[in-house]
C-alpha cells in the first residue's frame, strides 16, 4: 500500500530556508504536497527603506504556491490549516509566536528547524552567537514545537563545523544546506509513523538574545581572538566598530597577529605603508584590522583607508564594554 502524501504548510521569513523549500518540491515531490507558505508581511528594507517582499515570498510566487502573509496569526489561520487538511507544519525563522490552537491544527507534530545544536543556544541569534563566542561546531536541530522557546523534544540534528575564519555568511550557508539531509531523513519517518523524539536536557541549555547595535562595540582589553570572533560574527550588521578622533570607524574584517608584550590594550602599533592591517594591541595578542570604513565612505582595505584617514602609531583606541551574548 503506497504511503500517504504529506500535505505540508511551511512558515518562514528568512532565505536560510530556501534550500529546505527547494528540497521539498524537488527531491520530495512524490512524498510531500506543499499546500501553502506563510511568511512575514512586506517590510521596508535597504538604504532607501522601500517596502519589499522577502525571498520566501518571491520563491512561493515563482512556483505558484499559495502564499499567506499576516501581521498576527489568529483563528482564521487555524481554520485555513484545518481546511487544507494539513498533515505537517514545518517552521524555520518565521518570526511569529505560534499559539497552541495553531500547533494543534496539523495531523503530525509541528516541527521547527533551529540553527543550533540544542539545548545549546536557544533563542534569537544562534548563528551570530556561536561564531562570536568561538564555537567550532554548530548545526541545525529538528524539534517539536512547544510553547516554551526552543525547548521542544528533538527528532534529529545535523552538525556543521565552524572554521577559524568563517564569517556569518559562511556559517549561514552551511546551516542552510544542513536542513536538506535533515529533511531527507525525516520525511520517510513522518510518512510511516516511525519518528521518535528525545527530550532536551534543560540543565545543559544556554540562551542567546537579540543582537543590537551596541554589540558591535570593541573592547580592546579583551583577547584578540574574542574580538576577531565578534568581527566575523557581526558582518554585515551590526558590524564591529571603535571611535577615533571623534569619528566612529567600522571594521569589516580582521586577522590575528602575535603579541606585543608590555603595550597597553588599544595601542596602535607601528605599521608600514603597505600594511595588511592596522595592528592594535589587545588584552592578549595583536589584532590586525584589515578592512575599515568611516561614515559616508566605502569599506576599504586597511592600507587604502589609512592613506586617507591616518591613525598614527602610538594612538590609544578607546575601549567600550562588550555585553555578554550567552546566558
Amino acid at each position: 500500500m503506497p504511503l500517504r502524501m504529506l500535505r505540508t504548510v511551511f512558515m518562514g521569513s528568512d532565505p536560510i530556508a530556501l534550500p529546505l523549500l527547494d528540497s521539498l518540491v524537488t527531491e520530495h515531490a512524490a512524498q510531500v504536497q506543499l499546500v501553502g507558505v506563510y511568511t512575514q508581511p512586506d517590510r521596508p528594507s535597504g538604504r532607501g527603506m522601500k517596502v519589499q517582499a522577502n525571498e520566501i515570498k518571491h520563491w512561493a510566487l515563482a512556483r505558484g504556491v499559495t502564499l499567506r502573509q499576516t501581521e498576527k496569526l489568529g483563528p482564521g489561520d487555524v481554520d485555513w490549516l484545518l481546511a487544507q487538511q494539513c498533515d505537517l507544519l514545518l517552521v524555520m525563522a518565521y518570526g511569529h509566536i505560534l499559539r497552541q490552537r495553531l500547533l494543534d491544527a496539523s495531523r503530525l507534530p509541528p516541527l521547527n528547524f533551529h540553527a543550533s545544536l540544542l539545548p545549546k543556544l536557544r533563542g534569537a541569534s544562534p548563528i551570530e552567537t556561536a561564531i562570536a563566542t568561538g564555537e567550532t561546531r554548530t548545526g541545525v536541530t529538528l524539534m517539536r514545537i512547544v510553547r516554551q522557546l526552543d525547548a521542544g523534544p528533538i527528532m534529529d540534528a545535523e552538525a556543521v563545523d565552524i572554521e577559524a575564519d568563517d564569517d556569518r555568511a559562511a556559517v549561514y550557508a552551511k546551516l542552510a544546506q544542513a536542513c536538506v539531509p535533515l529533511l531527507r531523513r525525516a520525511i520517510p519517518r513522518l510518512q510511516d509513523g516511525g519518528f521518535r523524539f528525545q527530550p532536551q536536557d534543560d540543565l545543559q541549555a544556554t540562551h542567546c538574545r537579540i543582537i543590537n547595535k551596541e554589540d558591535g562595540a570593541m573592547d580592546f582589553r579583551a583577547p584578540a581572538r574574542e574580538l576577531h570572533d565578534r568581527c566575523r560574527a557581526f558582518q554585515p550588521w551590526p558590524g564591529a566598530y571603535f571611535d577615533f578622533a571623534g569619528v566612529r570607524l567600522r571594521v569589516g574584517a580582521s586577522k590575528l597577529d602575535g603579541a606585543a608584550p608590555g603595550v597597553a590594550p588599544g595601542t596602535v602599533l607601528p605599521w608600514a605603508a603597505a600594511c595588511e592591517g592596522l595592528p592594535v594591541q589587545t588584552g592578549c595578542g595583536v589584532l590586525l584590522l584589515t578592512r575599515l570604513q568611516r561614515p559616508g565612505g566605502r569599506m576599504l582595505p586597511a592600507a587604502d583607508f589609512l592613506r586617507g584617514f591616518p591613525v598614527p602609531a602610538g594612538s590609544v583606541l578607546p575601549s567600550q564594554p562588550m555585553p555578554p551574548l550567552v546566558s
Side-chain angles (χ1 to χ4, degrees):
M1 182 177 178
L3 293 173
R4 171 177 177 165
M5 283 273 285
L6 297 176
R7 292 179 59 81
T8 300
V9 172
F10 174 79
M11 294 181 167
S13 303
D14 191 287
I16 195 171
L18 290 176
L20 162 64
L21 285 169
D22 285 336
S23 180
L24 274 175
V25 300
T26 55
E27 180 179 352
H28 302 290
Q31 303 158 295
V32 172
Q33 181 182 359
L34 186 61
V35 297
V37 166
Y38 272 80
T39 195
Q40 290 272 10
D42 301 352
R43 306 287 192 202
S45 63
R47 290 200 171 190
M49 293 302 288
K50 293 181 180 179
V51 175
Q52 298 184 45
N54 64 42
E55 293 188 45
I56 302 297
K57 177 176 180 177
H58 287 304
W59 184 95
L61 293 177
R63 289 157 182 80
V65 178
T66 299
L67 180 74
R68 291 177 67 87
Q69 294 177 281
T70 178
E71 285 288 354
K72 187 176 181 180
L73 296 169
D77 299 291
V78 176
D79 294 341
W80 185 83
L81 288 171
L82 293 172
Q84 302 309 308
Q85 298 180 311
C86 178
D87 293 308
L88 180 60
L89 181 62
L90 296 178
V91 181
M92 187 174 195
Y94 182 32
H96 272 308
I97 294 174
L98 306 183
R99 297 186 180 278
Q100 193 61 50
R101 280 195 63 208
L102 194 141
L103 296 178
D104 294 337
S106 59
R107 180 178 62 87
L108 294 168
L111 300 175
N112 181 56
F113 292 79
H114 179 76
S116 80
L117 295 176
L118 292 170
K120 258 190 172 182
L121 298 182
R122 298 175 181 176
S125 60
I127 302 175
E128 297 88 345
T129 302
I131 302 167
T133 54
E135 295 286 345
T136 59
R137 196 163 175 81
T138 186
V140 178
T141 301
L142 183 59
M143 51 164 281
R144 180 171 185 164
I145 303 172
V146 298
R147 291 302 306 277
Q148 186 180 350
L149 182 64
D150 300 327
I154 294 169
M155 181 174 173
D156 199 357
E158 182 76 11
V160 303
D161 292 329
I162 304 177
E163 304 298 336
D165 289 315
D166 278 351
D167 60 10
R168 181 189 179 277
V171 177
Y172 181 100
K174 291 179 183 181
L175 293 171
Q177 291 299 326
C179 296
V180 176
L182 263 183
L183 186 67
R184 185 177 298 131
R185 295 194 294 267
I187 292 297
R189 299 181 211 168
L190 292 164
Q191 276 194 301
D192 65 17
F195 58 89
R196 298 290 182 270
F197 292 101
Q198 180 70 33
Q200 292 188 43
D201 182 354
D202 290 341
L203 295 177
Q204 300 298 317
T206 60
H207 298 81
C208 55
R209 55 176 175 79
I210 294 173
I211 301 297
N212 57 54
K213 188 175 180 179
E214 288 69 34
D215 288 315
M218 300 184 77
D219 187 345
F220 293 104
R221 297 166 295 189
R225 178 81 250 180
E226 182 178 348
L227 291 165
H228 176 63
D229 290 342
R230 286 197 174 221
C231 283
R232 61 198 181 100
F234 295 154
Q235 300 302 328
W237 191 91
Y241 62 83
F242 62 92
D243 295 329
F244 177 72
V247 179
R248 178 148 294 178
L249 303 181
R250 289 173 59 89
V251 180
S254 62
K255 285 187 176 182
L256 303 175
D257 186 48
V263 179
T267 302
V268 176
L269 303 173
W271 47 272
C275 61
E276 184 180 11
L278 182 70
V280 182
Q281 176 64 31
T282 71
C284 180
V286 174
L287 185 69
L288 290 178
L289 310 180
T290 59
R291 293 183 64 82
L292 294 161
Q293 180 184 24
R294 60 179 167 180
R298 293 185 297 117
M299 185 67 73
L300 296 171
D304 296 338
F305 178 87
L306 294 168
R307 278 195 289 270
F309 193 100
V311 181
S315 302
V316 179
L317 307 180
S319 289
Q320 299 185 52
M322 301 188 302
L325 300 172
V326 178
S327 61

